[in-house]
Coordinates of all heavy atoms in Angstrom, one line a residue:
M1 N -4.9 9.1 3.0 CA -4.7 8.5 1.7 C -4.7 7.0 1.8 O -4.3 6.4 2.7 CB -3.3 9.0 1.1 CG -3.0 8.3 -0.2 SD -1.4 8.8 -0.9 CE -2.0 10.2 -1.9
D2 N -5.3 6.4 0.8 CA -5.4 4.9 0.7 C -4.0 4.4 0.6 O -3.2 4.8 -0.2 CB -6.2 4.6 -0.5 CG -6.5 3.1 -0.6 OD1 -5.6 2.3 -0.4 OD2 -7.6 2.7 -1.0
V3 N -3.7 3.4 1.4 CA -2.3 2.8 1.4 C -2.0 2.2 0.1 O -0.8 2.2 -0.4 CB -2.1 1.8 2.5 CG1 -2.1 2.5 3.9 CG2 -3.0 0.7 2.5
R4 N -3.0 1.6 -0.6 CA -2.7 1.0 -1.9 C -2.3 2.1 -2.9 O -1.4 1.8 -3.8 CB -4.0 0.2 -2.4 CG -4.2 -1.0 -1.6 CD -5.6 -1.6 -2.0 NE -6.6 -0.6 -1.6 CZ -7.9 -0.8 -1.5 NH1 -8.3 -2.0 -1.8 NH2 -8.7 0.2 -1.1
R5 N -2.9 3.2 -2.8 CA -2.6 4.3 -3.8 C -1.1 4.8 -3.5 O -0.3 5.1 -4.4 CB -3.6 5.4 -3.6 CG -3.4 6.5 -4.7 CD -4.6 7.3 -4.7 NE -5.8 6.5 -5.0 CZ -6.7 6.8 -5.9 NH1 -6.7 7.9 -6.5 NH2 -7.7 6.0 -6.1
K6 N -0.8 4.9 -2.2 CA 0.5 5.4 -1.8 C 1.6 4.4 -2.2 O 2.6 4.7 -2.7 CB 0.6 5.7 -0.3 CG 1.9 6.2 0.2 CD 2.3 7.5 -0.5 CE 3.6 8.0 0.0 NZ 4.1 9.1 -0.8
L7 N 1.3 3.1 -2.0 CA 2.2 2.0 -2.5 C 2.4 2.1 -4.0 O 3.5 2.0 -4.4 CB 1.6 0.7 -2.1 CG 2.4 -0.5 -2.6 CD1 3.7 -0.7 -1.9 CD2 1.6 -1.8 -2.5
G8 N 1.3 2.3 -4.7 CA 1.4 2.5 -6.2 C 2.3 3.6 -6.6 O 3.1 3.5 -7.5
E9 N 2.1 4.8 -5.9 CA 3.0 5.9 -6.2 C 4.4 5.6 -5.9 O 5.3 6.0 -6.7 CB 2.5 7.1 -5.3 CG 1.2 7.7 -5.7 CD 0.8 8.8 -4.7 OE1 1.6 9.2 -3.8 OE2 -0.3 9.3 -4.9
N10 N 4.7 4.9 -4.8 CA 6.1 4.5 -4.5 C 6.7 3.6 -5.5 O 7.8 3.7 -6.0 CB 6.2 3.9 -3.1 CG 6.0 5.0 -2.0 OD1 6.1 6.2 -2.2 ND2 5.7 4.5 -0.8
V11 N 5.9 2.6 -6.0 CA 6.3 1.6 -7.0 C 6.7 2.4 -8.3 O 7.7 2.2 -8.9 CB 5.3 0.5 -7.2 CG1 5.7 -0.3 -8.5 CG2 5.2 -0.4 -6.0
R12 N 5.8 3.3 -8.7 CA 6.0 4.1 -9.9 C 7.3 4.9 -9.8 O 8.1 4.9 -10.7 CB 4.8 4.9 -10.2 CG 5.0 5.7 -11.5 CD 3.7 6.5 -11.9 NE 3.8 7.1 -13.2 CZ 4.4 8.2 -13.5 NH1 5.0 8.9 -12.5 NH2 4.5 8.6 -14.7
L13 N 7.4 5.6 -8.7 CA 8.6 6.5 -8.5 C 9.9 5.6 -8.5 O 10.8 6.0 -9.2 CB 8.5 7.2 -7.1 CG 9.7 8.0 -6.7 CD1 9.8 9.3 -7.6 CD2 9.5 8.5 -5.3
L14 N 9.9 4.5 -7.8 CA 11.1 3.7 -7.7 C 11.4 3.0 -9.1 O 12.5 2.9 -9.5 CB 10.9 2.6 -6.7 CG 10.9 3.2 -5.2 CD1 10.4 2.1 -4.2 CD2 12.3 3.7 -4.8
R15 N 10.3 2.7 -9.8 CA 10.5 2.1 -11.2 C 11.1 3.2 -12.1 O 12.1 2.8 -12.8 CB 9.1 1.7 -11.7 CG 9.2 1.2 -13.2 CD 7.9 0.7 -13.7 NE 6.9 1.8 -13.8 CZ 6.8 2.7 -14.7 NH1 7.7 2.8 -15.7 NH2 5.9 3.6 -14.7
L16 N 10.6 4.4 -12.1 CA 11.2 5.4 -12.9 C 12.6 5.8 -12.5 O 13.5 6.0 -13.4 CB 10.3 6.7 -12.8 CG 8.9 6.5 -13.4 CD1 8.1 7.8 -13.2 CD2 9.0 6.2 -14.9
Q17 N 12.9 5.8 -11.2 CA 14.3 6.0 -10.7 C 15.2 4.9 -11.2 O 16.4 5.2 -11.5 CB 14.4 6.1 -9.2 CG 13.8 7.3 -8.7 CD 13.8 7.4 -7.1 OE1 14.1 6.4 -6.5 NE2 13.4 8.5 -6.6
A18 N 14.7 3.7 -11.4 CA 15.5 2.6 -11.9 C 15.5 2.5 -13.4 O 16.1 1.6 -14.0 CB 15.0 1.3 -11.4
N19 N 14.9 3.5 -14.1 CA 14.8 3.6 -15.6 C 14.3 2.3 -16.1 O 14.8 1.8 -17.1 CB 16.2 3.9 -16.2 CG 16.6 5.3 -15.9 OD1 15.8 6.2 -15.9 ND2 17.9 5.5 -15.6
L20 N 13.2 1.8 -15.6 CA 12.5 0.6 -16.0 C 11.1 1.0 -16.5 O 10.4 1.9 -16.0 CB 12.4 -0.4 -14.9 CG 13.7 -1.0 -14.4 CD1 13.4 -1.8 -13.1 CD2 14.4 -1.9 -15.4
T21 N 10.7 0.2 -17.5 CA 9.3 0.4 -18.0 C 8.4 -0.6 -17.2 O 8.9 -1.5 -16.5 CB 9.2 0.0 -19.5 OG1 9.5 -1.4 -19.6 CG2 10.1 0.8 -20.4
Q22 N 7.1 -0.3 -17.3 CA 6.2 -1.3 -16.7 C 6.4 -2.7 -17.2 O 6.3 -3.6 -16.4 CB 4.7 -0.8 -16.9 CG 4.3 0.4 -16.1 CD 2.9 0.8 -16.3 OE1 2.2 0.4 -17.2 NE2 2.4 1.6 -15.4
Q23 N 6.6 -2.8 -18.5 CA 6.8 -4.1 -19.1 C 8.0 -4.8 -18.5 O 8.0 -6.0 -18.3 CB 6.9 -4.0 -20.6 CG 7.0 -5.4 -21.3 CD 5.7 -6.2 -21.1 OE1 4.6 -5.7 -21.4 NE2 5.9 -7.4 -20.6
E24 N 9.1 -4.1 -18.4 CA 10.3 -4.7 -17.8 C 10.1 -5.2 -16.4 O 10.6 -6.3 -16.0 CB 11.5 -3.7 -17.9 CG 12.0 -3.4 -19.3 CD 12.9 -2.2 -19.4 OE1 12.8 -1.2 -18.6 OE2 13.8 -2.2 -20.2
V25 N 9.4 -4.4 -15.6 CA 9.1 -4.8 -14.2 C 8.2 -6.1 -14.3 O 8.4 -7.0 -13.6 CB 8.5 -3.7 -13.4 CG1 8.0 -4.2 -12.0 CG2 9.4 -2.5 -13.2
A26 N 7.2 -6.0 -15.1 CA 6.3 -7.2 -15.3 C 7.1 -8.4 -15.7 O 6.8 -9.5 -15.1 CB 5.2 -6.9 -16.3
D27 N 8.0 -8.3 -16.6 CA 8.8 -9.5 -17.0 C 9.6 -10.0 -15.8 O 9.8 -11.2 -15.7 CB 9.7 -9.1 -18.2 CG 9.0 -8.8 -19.5 OD1 7.8 -9.2 -19.6 OD2 9.6 -8.2 -20.4
R28 N 10.1 -9.1 -15.0 CA 11.0 -9.5 -13.9 C 10.2 -10.2 -12.8 O 10.7 -11.1 -12.1 CB 11.7 -8.3 -13.3 CG 12.8 -7.8 -14.2 CD 13.5 -6.6 -13.5 NE 14.5 -6.0 -14.4 CZ 15.4 -5.2 -14.0 NH1 15.5 -4.8 -12.7 NH2 16.3 -4.7 -14.8
I29 N 8.9 -9.8 -12.6 CA 8.2 -10.5 -11.5 C 7.2 -11.5 -12.0 O 6.5 -12.1 -11.3 CB 7.4 -9.4 -10.7 CG1 6.4 -8.6 -11.4 CG2 8.4 -8.5 -10.0 CD1 5.6 -7.6 -10.6
G30 N 7.1 -11.7 -13.4 CA 6.3 -12.8 -13.9 C 4.8 -12.5 -14.0 O 4.0 -13.4 -13.8
V31 N 4.5 -11.2 -14.3 CA 3.1 -10.8 -14.5 C 3.0 -10.1 -15.8 O 4.0 -9.8 -16.4 CB 2.5 -10.0 -13.3 CG1 2.6 -10.8 -12.0 CG2 3.3 -8.7 -13.1
D32 N 1.7 -9.7 -16.1 CA 1.6 -8.9 -17.4 C 1.7 -7.4 -17.0 O 1.6 -7.0 -15.8 CB 0.4 -9.2 -18.1 CG -1.0 -8.9 -17.4 OD1 -0.9 -8.3 -16.3 OD2 -2.0 -9.4 -17.9
R33 N 1.9 -6.6 -18.0 CA 2.1 -5.1 -17.8 C 0.9 -4.5 -17.1 O 1.0 -3.6 -16.3 CB 2.4 -4.5 -19.2 CG 2.8 -3.0 -19.0 CD 2.5 -2.1 -20.2 NE 1.1 -2.2 -20.6 CZ 0.1 -1.5 -20.0 NH1 0.3 -0.8 -19.0 NH2 -1.1 -1.7 -20.5
A34 N -0.3 -5.0 -17.5 CA -1.5 -4.4 -16.9 C -1.5 -4.6 -15.4 O -2.1 -3.8 -14.7 CB -2.8 -5.1 -17.5
H35 N -1.0 -5.7 -14.9 CA -0.9 -5.9 -13.4 C 0.0 -4.9 -12.8 O -0.4 -4.3 -11.7 CB -0.3 -7.3 -13.2 CG -0.3 -7.7 -11.7 ND1 -1.3 -8.4 -11.1 CD2 0.7 -7.5 -10.8 CE1 -1.0 -8.6 -9.9 NE2 0.2 -8.0 -9.6
V36 N 1.1 -4.5 -13.4 CA 2.0 -3.5 -12.8 C 1.3 -2.1 -12.9 O 1.3 -1.3 -12.0 CB 3.3 -3.5 -13.6 CG1 4.2 -2.3 -13.1 CG2 4.1 -4.8 -13.4
S37 N 0.6 -1.9 -14.0 CA -0.2 -0.7 -14.1 C -1.2 -0.5 -13.0 O -1.4 0.6 -12.4 CB -0.9 -0.6 -15.5 OG -1.6 0.6 -15.6
A38 N -1.9 -1.6 -12.8 CA -2.9 -1.6 -11.7 C -2.3 -1.4 -10.3 O -2.9 -0.7 -9.5 CB -3.8 -2.9 -11.8
L39 N -1.2 -2.0 -10.1 CA -0.4 -1.8 -8.8 C -0.1 -0.3 -8.7 O -0.4 0.3 -7.6 CB 0.9 -2.6 -8.8 CG 0.8 -4.0 -8.4 CD1 2.1 -4.7 -8.7 CD2 0.4 -4.2 -7.0
E40 N 0.4 0.3 -9.7 CA 0.8 1.7 -9.7 C -0.4 2.6 -9.5 O -0.3 3.7 -8.9 CB 1.6 2.1 -10.9 CG 3.0 1.5 -10.9 CD 3.8 1.9 -12.1 OE1 3.4 2.7 -12.9 OE2 5.0 1.4 -12.2
A41 N -1.6 2.2 -10.0 CA -2.8 3.0 -9.9 C -3.5 2.8 -8.5 O -4.4 3.6 -8.2 CB -3.8 2.6 -11.0
G42 N -3.0 1.9 -7.8 CA -3.5 1.7 -6.4 C -4.8 0.8 -6.4 O -5.6 0.9 -5.5
T43 N -5.0 0.1 -7.5 CA -6.3 -0.7 -7.6 C -6.0 -2.2 -7.3 O -7.0 -2.9 -7.3 CB -7.0 -0.5 -9.0 OG1 -6.0 -1.0 -10.0 CG2 -7.4 0.9 -9.2
R44 N -4.8 -2.5 -7.0 CA -4.5 -3.9 -6.6 C -4.1 -4.0 -5.1 O -3.7 -3.0 -4.6 CB -3.3 -4.5 -7.4 CG -3.4 -4.4 -8.9 CD -4.0 -5.5 -9.6 NE -3.7 -6.8 -9.1 CZ -4.2 -7.9 -9.6 NH1 -5.0 -7.9 -10.6 NH2 -4.0 -9.1 -9.0
N45 N -4.3 -5.1 -4.5 CA -4.0 -5.3 -3.1 C -3.0 -6.4 -3.1 O -3.3 -7.6 -2.9 CB -5.3 -5.6 -2.3 CG -5.1 -5.5 -0.9 OD1 -4.1 -4.9 -0.4 ND2 -6.0 -6.1 -0.1
P46 N -1.7 -6.0 -3.2 CA -0.7 -7.1 -3.4 C -0.4 -7.8 -2.1 O -0.5 -7.3 -1.0 CB 0.6 -6.3 -3.8 CG 0.4 -4.9 -3.3 CD -1.1 -4.7 -3.3
T47 N 0.0 -9.1 -2.2 CA 0.4 -9.9 -1.1 C 1.8 -9.5 -0.7 O 2.6 -8.8 -1.4 CB 0.4 -11.4 -1.4 OG1 1.4 -11.6 -2.4 CG2 -1.0 -11.8 -1.9
I48 N 2.3 -9.9 0.5 CA 3.6 -9.7 0.9 C 4.6 -10.3 0.0 O 5.7 -9.8 -0.3 CB 3.8 -10.1 2.4 CG1 5.2 -9.6 3.0 CG2 3.7 -11.6 2.5 CD1 5.2 -8.2 3.2
L49 N 4.3 -11.5 -0.6 CA 5.1 -12.1 -1.5 C 5.3 -11.3 -2.8 O 6.4 -11.1 -3.3 CB 4.6 -13.5 -1.9 CG 5.5 -14.4 -2.8 CD1 6.9 -14.6 -2.1 CD2 4.8 -15.7 -3.0
S50 N 4.2 -10.7 -3.2 CA 4.2 -9.8 -4.4 C 5.1 -8.6 -4.1 O 5.9 -8.2 -5.0 CB 2.8 -9.3 -4.8 OG 2.0 -10.4 -5.2
L51 N 5.0 -8.0 -2.9 CA 5.8 -6.9 -2.6 C 7.3 -7.3 -2.6 O 8.2 -6.5 -3.0 CB 5.4 -6.3 -1.2 CG 4.0 -5.7 -1.1 CD1 3.8 -5.3 0.3 CD2 3.9 -4.6 -2.1
W52 N 7.6 -8.5 -2.1 CA 9.0 -9.0 -2.1 C 9.5 -9.1 -3.5 O 10.6 -8.6 -3.9 CB 9.1 -10.3 -1.4 CG 10.4 -10.9 -1.3 CD1 11.5 -10.4 -0.6 CD2 10.9 -12.1 -1.9 NE1 12.6 -11.2 -0.8 CE2 12.3 -12.2 -1.6 CE3 10.3 -13.0 -2.7 CZ2 13.0 -13.3 -2.0 CZ3 11.0 -14.1 -3.2 CH2 12.4 -14.2 -2.8
H53 N 8.7 -9.6 -4.4 CA 9.1 -9.8 -5.8 C 9.3 -8.4 -6.5 O 10.3 -8.2 -7.2 CB 8.1 -10.6 -6.6 CG 8.1 -12.0 -6.4 ND1 9.1 -12.9 -6.8 CD2 7.3 -12.9 -5.7 CE1 8.9 -14.1 -6.4 NE2 7.8 -14.1 -5.8
I54 N 8.4 -7.5 -6.2 CA 8.6 -6.1 -6.7 C 9.8 -5.5 -6.2 O 10.6 -4.8 -7.0 CB 7.3 -5.3 -6.4 CG1 6.1 -5.8 -7.1 CG2 7.6 -3.8 -6.7 CD1 4.8 -5.3 -6.5
S55 N 10.1 -5.6 -5.0 CA 11.3 -5.0 -4.4 C 12.6 -5.6 -5.1 O 13.5 -4.9 -5.4 CB 11.4 -5.1 -2.9 OG 11.6 -6.5 -2.5
L56 N 12.6 -6.9 -5.3 CA 13.7 -7.5 -6.0 C 13.8 -7.0 -7.4 O 14.9 -6.7 -7.9 CB 13.6 -9.0 -6.0 CG 13.7 -9.8 -4.7 CD1 13.5 -11.3 -4.9 CD2 15.1 -9.5 -4.1
A57 N 12.7 -6.9 -8.1 CA 12.7 -6.4 -9.5 C 13.2 -4.9 -9.6 O 13.9 -4.6 -10.6 CB 11.3 -6.5 -10.1
L58 N 12.9 -4.1 -8.6 CA 13.3 -2.7 -8.6 C 14.7 -2.5 -7.9 O 15.3 -1.4 -8.0 CB 12.3 -1.9 -7.9 CG 10.9 -1.8 -8.5 CD1 10.0 -1.1 -7.6 CD2 11.0 -1.3 -9.9
G59 N 15.2 -3.6 -7.3 CA 16.5 -3.4 -6.7 C 16.5 -2.6 -5.4 O 17.5 -1.8 -5.1
V60 N 15.4 -2.6 -4.7 CA 15.3 -1.8 -3.5 C 14.9 -2.7 -2.3 O 14.5 -3.9 -2.5 CB 14.2 -0.7 -3.7 CG1 14.6 0.2 -4.8 CG2 12.8 -1.3 -3.9
K61 N 14.9 -2.2 -1.1 CA 14.5 -2.9 0.1 C 12.9 -2.9 0.0 O 12.3 -1.9 -0.4 CB 14.9 -2.2 1.4 CG 16.4 -2.2 1.5 CD 16.8 -1.5 2.8 CE 18.3 -1.3 2.9 NZ 18.6 -0.4 4.1
I62 N 12.3 -3.9 0.6 CA 10.9 -4.0 0.6 C 10.3 -2.8 1.4 O 9.2 -2.3 1.1 CB 10.4 -5.3 1.2 CG1 8.9 -5.5 0.8 CG2 10.7 -5.5 2.6 CD1 8.4 -6.9 1.1
T63 N 11.0 -2.3 2.4 CA 10.6 -1.2 3.2 C 10.5 0.1 2.3 O 9.7 1.0 2.7 CB 11.4 -0.9 4.4 OG1 12.8 -0.8 4.0 CG2 11.3 -2.1 5.4
D64 N 11.3 0.2 1.3 CA 11.3 1.4 0.4 C 9.9 1.5 -0.3 O 9.5 2.6 -0.6 CB 12.4 1.3 -0.6 CG 13.8 1.4 -0.1 OD1 13.9 2.0 1.1 OD2 14.7 1.0 -0.7
L65 N 9.2 0.3 -0.5 CA 7.9 0.4 -1.1 C 6.9 1.0 -0.2 O 5.9 1.5 -0.7 CB 7.5 -1.0 -1.5 CG 8.4 -1.8 -2.5 CD1 7.8 -3.2 -2.6 CD2 8.5 -1.1 -3.8
L66 N 7.2 1.0 1.1 CA 6.2 1.5 2.1 C 6.6 2.8 2.7 O 6.0 3.2 3.7 CB 6.1 0.4 3.2 CG 5.8 -1.0 2.7 CD1 5.8 -2.0 3.9 CD2 4.4 -1.0 2.0
Q67 N 7.6 3.5 2.1 CA 8.0 4.7 2.7 C 6.9 5.8 2.7 O 6.0 5.7 1.9 CB 9.2 5.3 2.0 CG 9.0 5.7 0.6 CD 10.2 5.9 -0.2 OE1 11.3 5.9 0.3 NE2 10.1 6.3 -1.5
D68 N 6.9 6.6 3.7 CA 6.0 7.7 3.9 C 4.6 7.3 4.2 O 3.6 8.1 4.0 CB 6.0 8.7 2.7 CG 7.3 9.3 2.4 OD1 8.0 9.6 3.4 OD2 7.6 9.5 1.2
F69 N 4.4 6.1 4.6 CA 3.0 5.6 5.1 C 2.8 6.2 6.5 O 3.7 6.3 7.3 CB 3.0 4.1 5.2 CG 2.6 3.4 3.9 CD1 2.9 4.0 2.6 CD2 2.1 2.2 3.9 CE1 2.6 3.4 1.5 CE2 1.8 1.5 2.7 CZ 2.0 2.2 1.5
P70 N 1.6 6.6 6.8 CA 1.3 7.1 8.1 C 1.4 6.0 9.1 O 1.0 4.8 8.8 CB -0.1 7.6 8.0 CG -0.7 6.9 6.9 CD 0.4 6.6 5.9
S71 N 2.0 6.2 10.3 CA 2.1 5.2 11.3 C 0.8 5.0 11.9 O -0.1 5.9 12.0 CB 3.1 5.6 12.3 OG 2.7 6.7 13.1
Q72 N 0.5 3.8 12.4 CA -0.8 3.5 13.0 C -1.0 4.3 14.3 O -2.1 4.7 14.6 CB -0.9 2.0 13.3 CG -1.1 1.1 12.1 CD -1.3 -0.3 12.4 OE1 -1.3 -0.7 13.6 NE2 -1.5 -1.1 11.4
S73 N 0.1 4.6 15.0 CA -0.1 5.3 16.2 C -0.4 6.8 15.9 O -1.1 7.4 16.7 CB 1.2 5.3 17.1 OG 2.3 5.9 16.3
G74 N -0.1 7.3 14.8 CA -0.4 8.6 14.4 C -1.7 8.8 13.7 O -2.1 9.9 13.4
D75 N -2.3 7.7 13.4 CA -3.6 7.7 12.6 C -4.8 7.9 13.5 O -5.2 6.9 14.1 CB -3.7 6.5 11.7 CG -4.8 6.6 10.7 OD1 -5.6 7.5 10.8 OD2 -4.9 5.6 9.9
S76 N -5.2 9.1 13.8 CA -6.3 9.3 14.7 C -7.6 8.7 14.3 O -8.4 8.2 15.2 CB -6.5 10.8 15.0 OG -6.8 11.5 13.7
A77 N -7.9 8.6 13.0 CA -9.1 8.0 12.6 C -9.2 6.5 12.9 O -10.2 6.0 13.4 CB -9.3 8.2 11.1
L78 N -8.0 5.9 12.7 CA -7.9 4.4 13.1 C -8.0 4.2 14.6 O -8.7 3.3 15.1 CB -6.6 3.9 12.5 CG -6.4 2.4 12.8 CD1 -7.5 1.5 12.2 CD2 -5.0 1.9 12.2
A79 N -7.4 5.1 15.3 CA -7.4 5.0 16.8 C -8.8 5.2 17.3 O -9.3 4.5 18.2 CB -6.5 6.0 17.4
K80 N -9.6 6.1 16.7 CA -11.0 6.4 17.1 C -11.8 5.1 16.8 O -12.7 4.8 17.6 CB -11.5 7.6 16.4 CG -11.0 8.9 17.0 CD -11.6 10.1 16.3 CE -11.0 11.4 16.7 NZ -11.6 12.5 16.0
K81 N -11.6 4.6 15.6 CA -12.4 3.4 15.2 C -12.1 2.2 16.2 O -13.1 1.6 16.6 CB -12.0 3.0 13.8 CG -12.8 1.9 13.2 CD -12.5 1.6 11.8 CE -13.3 0.5 11.2 NZ -13.0 0.2 9.8
R82 N -10.9 2.0 16.5 CA -10.5 0.9 17.4 C -11.1 1.2 18.8 O -11.7 0.3 19.4 CB -9.0 0.8 17.5 CG -8.4 0.1 16.3 CD -6.9 0.0 16.5 NE -6.3 -0.7 15.4 CZ -5.1 -0.7 15.1 NH1 -4.2 -0.1 15.9 NH2 -4.6 -1.3 14.0
A83 N -11.1 2.4 19.3 CA -11.6 2.7 20.6 C -13.1 2.5 20.6 O -13.7 2.0 21.6 CB -11.2 4.2 20.9
S84 N -13.8 2.9 19.5 CA -15.3 2.8 19.5 C -15.7 1.3 19.5 O -16.7 0.9 20.1 CB -15.9 3.5 18.3 OG -15.5 2.9 17.1
K85 N -14.8 0.5 18.9 CA -15.2 -1.0 18.9 C -15.0 -1.6 20.3 O -15.7 -2.5 20.7 CB -14.2 -1.7 17.9 CG -14.7 -1.6 16.5 CD -13.8 -2.4 15.6 CE -14.4 -2.4 14.2 NZ -13.7 -3.3 13.3
R86 N -14.0 -1.0 21.0 CA -13.8 -1.6 22.4 C -15.0 -1.2 23.3 O -15.3 -1.9 24.2 CB -12.5 -1.1 22.9 CG -11.3 -1.7 22.3 CD -10.0 -1.4 23.2 NE -9.7 0.0 23.2 CZ -8.9 0.7 22.3 NH1 -8.3 0.0 21.4 NH2 -8.7 1.9 22.4
R87 N -15.5 0.0 23.1 CA -16.6 0.5 24.0 C -17.9 -0.2 23.6 O -18.8 -0.2 24.5 CB -16.7 2.0 23.9 CG -15.6 2.7 24.5 CD -15.8 4.2 24.7 NE -16.0 4.8 23.4 CZ -15.1 5.4 22.7 NH1 -13.8 5.5 23.2 NH2 -15.3 6.0 21.6
G88 N -18.1 -0.6 22.4 CA -19.4 -1.3 22.0 C -20.4 -0.3 21.5 O -20.2 0.9 21.6
P89 N -21.5 -0.8 20.9 CA -22.5 0.0 20.2 C -23.2 0.9 21.2 O -23.6 2.0 20.9 CB -23.4 -0.9 19.5 CG -23.1 -2.3 20.1 CD -21.8 -2.2 20.7
R90 N -23.5 0.5 22.4 CA -24.3 1.2 23.3 C -23.5 2.5 23.7 O -24.1 3.6 23.8 CB -24.6 0.4 24.6 CG -25.5 1.1 25.5 CD -25.9 0.2 26.6 NE -27.1 0.8 27.3 CZ -27.8 0.2 28.2 NH1 -27.5 -1.1 28.5 NH2 -28.8 0.8 28.8
A91 N -22.2 2.4 24.0 CA -21.4 3.6 24.4 C -21.3 4.6 23.2 O -21.4 5.8 23.4 CB -20.0 3.1 24.7
R92 N -21.3 4.1 22.0 CA -21.3 5.0 20.8 C -22.6 5.8 20.7 O -22.6 7.0 20.4 CB -21.0 4.2 19.6 CG -19.5 3.8 19.5 CD -19.2 3.3 18.1 NE -20.0 2.1 17.6 CZ -19.6 0.9 17.9 NH1 -18.5 0.6 18.5 NH2 -20.4 -0.1 17.4
K93 N -23.7 5.1 21.0 CA -25.0 5.8 20.9 C -25.1 6.9 22.0 O -25.6 8.0 21.8 CB -26.2 4.8 21.2 CG -26.5 4.0 19.9 CD -27.7 3.1 20.2 CE -28.0 2.2 19.0 NZ -29.1 1.4 19.3
E94 N -24.6 6.6 23.2 CA -24.6 7.5 24.3 C -23.8 8.7 24.0 O -24.1 9.9 24.3 CB -24.2 6.9 25.6 CG -25.2 5.9 26.1 CD -24.7 5.0 27.3 OE1 -23.5 5.3 27.7 OE2 -25.4 4.2 27.7
E95 N -22.6 8.5 23.4 CA -21.7 9.6 23.0 C -22.3 10.5 22.0 O -22.2 11.7 22.1 CB -20.3 9.0 22.4 CG -19.4 8.4 23.5 CD -18.2 7.8 22.9 OE1 -18.1 7.8 21.6 OE2 -17.4 7.3 23.6
S96 N -23.0 9.9 21.0 CA -23.6 10.7 19.9 C -24.8 11.5 20.5 O -25.1 12.6 20.0 CB -23.9 9.9 18.7 OG -24.9 9.0 19.1
A97 N -25.5 11.0 21.4 CA -26.6 11.7 22.0 C -26.2 12.8 23.0 O -26.9 13.8 23.1 CB -27.5 10.7 22.8
G98 N -25.0 12.7 23.6 CA -24.6 13.6 24.6 C -24.0 14.8 24.0 O -24.1 15.9 24.0

């Protein structure tokens, strides 16, 4: 799952748990409602500062916004991609041919 989408799901869940509308969150962090909507839809790539403002607006820890994200050590696709970059393009060609 795309981390932006998971982040958006978490923001929406935490916002609803806090009984806040998108507009109320937007007012608290100084953006328009469409920005909050895009965050929740997973189409925005927020900065760490934006995440901090969102966590303050929702009254949660910043880590709560990132709950249930897959750990990098457990992400086999990422591990394979990193390993293939270390071996270089020639090693990848030989692996696919073998």
